[in-house]
Amino acid sequence: YDNCLLLIRTNPQAALSAASDWESKDGGGAAIHCEALSLVALHRYAEAAGRLNTLARTTNNATDRAVLYDQAGNAWLLARRPDNAQNSFTVALTFKPRDADLYADRARAFALKPDWVSADNDLTAALAAAPNRGDLLVLRASARHAMGKKAEARADIDQALALNSGNVDALELRGEMKAEAGDQIGAQTDWKTVVAQAPRSAAAKDAQDHLSALIQPPPAAPKK
């Protein structure tokens, strides 16, 4: 199994072939799991999710089943299949009903629909289990921002930054909120801080895009 996982990093197609051959020789759940992870590496996400769901249904240990359904849900998300993802995460939660990460994962499925109310509800449940998670606060702020609940969204961002003033995801979203409120200088300050602190992050890319948009020259007037 370890060798199969190592092979995924360098040659996922060879890992898939090896895992399939191993499964045909009674490799059992370990072989199927390596097949599924190989399929993820090959960007064949829906196939991977189907195998993970099947493996979860035939696994006896409740904790292992929760992990497998969670992995299936994330593969469904990569396949842009939010309904399937939601179903997998919901089953996973029956085995680990207080797991903050499972609620956050299902919230991502709701957001992909988009169903912001359900995403907000799941993130609130996640924060009930893990109240000091800044990443969860930022996710809920994003959902509330999308719903137009600006005050509640800003409160979540402020709380996330109170926990960690260097939370670049929170700073990037706060910059968006400031820009929407007409505070362009404040928005630029937040975005520049994100780019300086975590230049390779997804938040920095978004921040740089916002900054670039601010300095775009106005369109030229049509010639008479």
Side-chain angles (χ1 to χ4, degrees):
Y1 179 70
D2 290 339
N3 289 337
C4 191
L5 295 183
L6 286 171
L7 187 57
I8 290 173
R9 300 178 185 177
T10 57
N11 192 336
Q13 186 61 58
L16 177 61
S17 298
S20 298
D21 182 61
W22 182 22
E23 183 190 357
S24 70
K25 297 174 181 176
D26 296 323
I32 296 171
H33 193 238
C34 192
E35 276 185 287
L37 297 182
S38 301
L39 288 167
V40 170
L42 291 167
H43 299 175
R44 292 162 61 179
Y45 303 124
E47 293 176 71
R51 288 179 187 249
L52 288 164
N53 268 343
T54 299
L55 182 57
R57 285 193 293 269
T58 59
T59 299
N60 293 323
N61 182 278
T63 300
D64 290 343
R65 293 186 79 179
V67 170
L68 290 167
Y69 277 117
D70 185 33
Q71 290 178 348
N74 278 288
W76 286 125
L77 284 180
L78 290 169
R80 311 295 290 182
R81 302 268 287 273
D83 288 328
N84 299 80
Q86 176 192 333
N87 291 336
S88 292
F89 293 134
T90 298
V91 178
L93 280 163
T94 65
F95 298 105
K96 296 181 72 177
R98 291 276 299 165
D99 191 290
D101 289 317
L102 284 176
Y103 277 112
D105 283 342
R106 192 171 67 175
R108 288 166 54 222
F110 284 127
L112 194 58
K113 291 190 175 188
D115 177 354
W116 298 115
V117 172
S118 296
D120 185 351
N121 290 337
D122 268 2
L123 289 163
T124 297
L127 283 161
N132 293 321
R133 287 270 301 271
D135 59 326
L136 299 179
L137 286 163
V138 173
L139 287 173
R140 190 171 69 175
S142 181
R144 291 179 169 181
H145 184 241
M147 287 190 288
K149 294 183 174 181
K150 296 182 179 180
E152 293 92 333
R154 182 58 186 264
D156 278 347
I157 288 298
D158 289 345
Q159 187 178 347
L161 289 168
L163 291 168
N164 175 13
S165 61
N167 185 324
V168 293
D169 293 311
L171 287 168
E172 191 280 321
L173 185 53
R174 188 175 72 175
E176 292 184 35
M177 294 176 182
K178 287 181 178 180
E180 289 176 4
D183 181 7
Q184 299 298 327
I185 294 175
Q188 289 183 61
T189 299
D190 279 347
W191 291 332
K192 287 177 180 178
T193 300
V194 171
V195 173
Q197 289 187 356
R200 297 181 181 275
S201 66
K205 181 182 182 305
D206 290 340
Q208 188 60 64
D209 288 344
H210 291 309
L211 289 167
S212 298
L214 287 176
I215 61 174
Q216 288 296 324
K223 294 181 179 180
K224 295 183 180 179

